[in-house]
Structure formats: structure tokens, C-alpha cells
Amino acid sequence: MFSFLIGLLLMSCNKDDEANAQSFQKDFIDLGTHKIATYSIETNSNYLVVFESGLGDDHSVWQTKKVAEKIGKDISVVLYDRGGYGKSTIDNNVRNVERLTLELEAVVNKFANGRKVILVGHSLGGLIIRDYAIKNPNKTAGLLFVDPSHEHYNQPTQEIEDIIYNAFKSSYGVNSGATREVRELIEDFAYISSLPNLPDIPVVVLTSMKQDQSNNTSDQTYNKIRQDWYDAHELLKNGVTDFTHIQTTASGHYI
């Protein structure tokens, strides 16, 4: 399984292979309170790959370099918009990690058809796939973390959360999924820190060590350095026997 996850990584990094990209099937999952927009490619493969975007990003972030399309040539994939992003509607519940995990679970339940899932999570999406895997170890085949948020690095004060919240409210509106997710950041990192270790399944972590404006601003905000970011990601190996940690100085947060 480790070699398979690495294969996904290499396919996503190959910028030259643009041929034979498949089209996504668009659909909606009705949760009763709101609807989740999904974009899938079915190949009748043994596994299903589900992509979880970071804060402020809808499903299309995974299509910027045709990452999902390339992987979709060989294995079934699903992209989706969390509530309040893209074509998805939103409910009135708090938008914390536990609530977001329920949306991921609904996506998995619709598309897995008995298959185990490989979850790919970027940034805040890393918290969501952690929560899902811990709660559903028998349904999860492996995890690929792309520069994930982590409670040992991301420790927002109320002042920091307010600054981020006001910026998102100005850009996206008060009722967007992104803005409402920001309002739960302090609670989210407290919650995720209370969870046990990941299940003993294959885990790959990609960490950006690049000294660029985005990473430097993040380090300054949290009074950290890049090594703290790497060390936080290294903690994801606790309890995991098949763990690979890859760092890059060539790519920023959007590896």
C-alpha cells in the first residue's frame, strides 16, 4: 500500500502527462439540511481516492494541475465541495471538524461501494481526514497529507482567529463555508489534539519547507519556524508502522 500511495504522489507531480484526462460526473448528495456537490470518475478499481480541500478552497483546487484527472485514469476518484463552497449549499449548524467529517463520511458512503478509501487532505483538510480515519479505521486504506494543518503548530489566539475571520468575511461573505469554518479554528485544534493516534495504516506526509511569503507569514503569525512545521507533521507517525515523510523546498503550501 505504501508503494501505491507513492505512485499517487508521483502521478500528481508529473506535469508532462496531460493526455487522456477523463471527465467528471457531477452529482449532489442530499443531507436533508443541505446538499453537497460531488465530482467523480469511476474506474471500477479496488480502491476509491477522496480529495479533501483546505480552508477557502473548493474541489477545483485539485484540478489546477490536473492532479485528480491523472489519478482518475487508473483509480476511482471523488472531489467535492464542503457546505458553503462551490455549488454546495450550507446548513445552520456550526462548521467544525466533527461536522465536516460527517460530510466526508456521506461522500465516502455514496461512492465507496464497499471499497476502502485513500484520503488525500490539504491544509485544514488534513484535520478532517485524520478525524475520519480515526473513527473509521476499517474503511480507510491509507492517508496522503499535503502540507496539513497541525495543532502543534497552528495554535490561534482569539485575536488571530478574529483577523482571519474578518479577512474571509470581507472576501467571501459572512455565510460562506470558509468564513464559518474560520470561526471554529480554536475549537477545532483543541478537538483534534484530544484524538488518539492515527490507525496503523500507510501514511505519507508532504511538508513544504520553502521560504516564501506565505510560509514566512504563517511562521510569524504563530511565532514558529519551518522546522516547527516539519516537527508537527512528524508527530503523525505515532503508532504508524508504514510512514513516509517527504519535505520540499521547491514548493509552497500548495504543493
Side-chain angles (χ1 to χ4, degrees):
M1 177 56 63
F2 162 71
S3 62
F4 181 74
L5 288 176
I6 291 296
L8 288 182
L9 168 63
L10 293 177
M11 281 191 288
S12 69
C13 291
N14 182 359
K15 297 181 180 180
D16 297 323
D17 184 8
E18 301 290 348
N20 302 319
Q22 299 191 43
S23 299
F24 287 92
Q25 178 68 40
K26 300 178 183 179
D27 203 351
F28 286 90
I29 300 175
D30 191 343
L31 300 180
T33 53
H34 60 296
K35 294 183 178 181
I36 298 298
T38 63
Y39 306 82
S40 62
I41 298 174
E42 178 57 63
T43 65
N44 295 315
S45 56
N46 292 329
Y47 295 97
L48 172 71
V49 178
V50 181
F51 290 84
E52 188 68 53
S53 303
L55 179 65
D57 295 316
D58 65 14
H59 78 279
S60 63
V61 71
W62 299 106
Q63 297 174 293
T64 303
K65 297 293 184 182
K66 298 188 181 297
V67 171
E69 287 93 332
K70 294 172 191 173
I71 293 173
K73 291 187 296 183
D74 300 302
I75 187 170
S76 300
V77 301
V78 179
L79 313 177
Y80 76 102
D81 296 329
R82 293 197 296 271
Y85 288 82
K87 300 295 183 181
S88 295
T89 56
I90 195 168
D91 60 10
N92 293 320
N93 292 304
V94 294
R95 305 296 297 165
N96 58 25
V97 164
E98 290 182 275
R99 177 66 56 179
L100 305 182
T101 301
L102 292 176
E103 293 185 351
L104 172 57
E105 185 174 29
V107 172
V108 172
N109 289 343
K110 178 178 175 63
F111 291 97
N113 296 319
R115 297 173 293 186
K116 287 191 174 184
V117 296
I118 297 168
L119 302 176
V120 184
H122 173 246
S123 197
L124 182 72
L127 303 188
I128 301 169
I129 68 171
R130 276 175 67 185
D131 192 36
Y132 179 90
I134 290 168
K135 292 175 178 175
N136 299 276
N138 294 328
K139 295 181 180 180
T140 310
L143 300 171
L144 175 56
F145 291 96
V146 183
D147 221 32
S149 302
H150 196 283
E151 64 275 15
H152 279 255
Y153 175 96
N154 302 97
Q155 298 171 341
T157 62
Q158 190 61 61
E159 180 183 10
I160 290 173
E161 184 183 284
D162 288 345
I163 291 172
I164 301 172
Y165 175 81
N166 289 327
F168 273 71
K169 182 173 69 173
S170 176
S171 297
Y172 301 107
V174 68
N175 202 42
S176 76
T179 304
R180 289 176 54 187
E181 287 173 7
V182 170
R183 191 40 91 199
E184 304 301 321
L185 286 178
I186 292 175
E187 291 79 6
D188 283 344
F189 287 113
Y191 166 74
I192 209 75
S193 67
S194 71
L195 296 180
N197 293 333
L198 289 169
D200 191 9
I201 58 177
V203 174
V204 176
V205 184
L206 310 183
T207 297
S208 171
M209 299 293 283
K210 187 176 184 180
Q211 296 291 340
D212 61 10
Q213 182 176 355
S214 175
N215 285 344
N216 291 341
T217 298
S218 181
D219 288 344
Q220 292 169 9
T221 298
Y222 293 108
N223 194 27
K224 304 285 187 179
I225 59 174
R226 281 294 88 190
Q227 187 62 44
D228 295 321
W229 184 238
Y230 180 89
D231 291 344
H233 291 171
E234 188 73 5
L235 294 173
L236 292 169
K237 74 179 179 183
N238 292 339
V240 176
T241 56
D242 190 347
F243 180 85
T244 298
H245 193 174
I246 301 170
Q247 60 177 301
T248 174
T249 58
S251 297
H253 186 50
Y254 286 86
I255 296 176

